[in-house]
Amino acid sequence: MSPRRILLLMGAIVAEVAATLMLRASVADPIWIPGVVVLYAAAFFILGLTQRLGMPLGAVYATWSASGVALVAVLGVVFFGELLSIGAIIGIAVIIIGVILVESGSSDDSGTPDDAGTPDGPVAPGSGYTEVTE
């Protein structure tokens, strides 16, 4: 996996975790709500960029969502004094194991080179992509 793909995925994870923490903070102070909207939008935009680089959808979504759940749970303890039960800790461990299993089962080459940024298959009219025939 290229460093560019990893950095984009990490950026999407950070944006989603920050938005979720701001969502929790907005319960006490609504000033956080614009940040929630902007960061969730940024997270999904960056997640879309990882797809344009050809990362496998299952691996991307598993990593993004599981990392978000685990980080939000831990940071909820740090920032909001929330408690993690034994069941929650075991759940986070299972999530991490699940991501490792999904990652190990996904192919690094999903058919799209890092710098191409075009989808496989037919090109839709008005999509901005040019179909190249050989």
Side-chain angles (χ1 to χ4, degrees):
M1 192 177 306
S2 75
R4 184 174 176 194
R5 290 176 178 183
I6 293 170
L7 285 174
L8 280 173
L9 185 55
M10 287 173 50
I13 292 166
V14 167
E16 188 263 337
V17 168
T20 303
L21 293 174
M22 285 184 179
L23 184 62
R24 169 62 172 83
S26 72
V27 171
D29 189 358
I31 193 79
W32 295 101
I33 293 174
V36 171
V37 173
V38 169
L39 285 172
Y40 273 132
F44 282 104
F45 176 75
I46 298 168
L47 201 60
L49 292 177
T50 65
Q51 291 296 282
R52 287 185 61 137
L53 290 178
M55 290 184 74
L57 178 61
V60 168
Y61 189 71
T63 305
W64 177 72
S65 60
S67 300
V69 168
L71 286 170
V72 166
V74 171
L75 293 174
V77 172
V78 172
F79 292 119
F80 303 112
E82 296 177 350
L83 300 175
L84 287 179
S85 67
I86 294 297
I89 294 168
I90 292 170
I92 291 171
V94 169
I95 288 171
I96 292 168
I97 291 167
V99 169
I100 291 169
L101 291 173
V102 169
E103 283 290 329
S104 67
S106 68
S107 170
D108 189 38
D109 181 22
S110 64
T112 308
D114 278 349
D115 57 348
T118 57
D120 290 337
V123 176
S127 67
Y129 294 112
T130 305
E131 186 168 8
V132 178
T133 56
E134 296 180 25

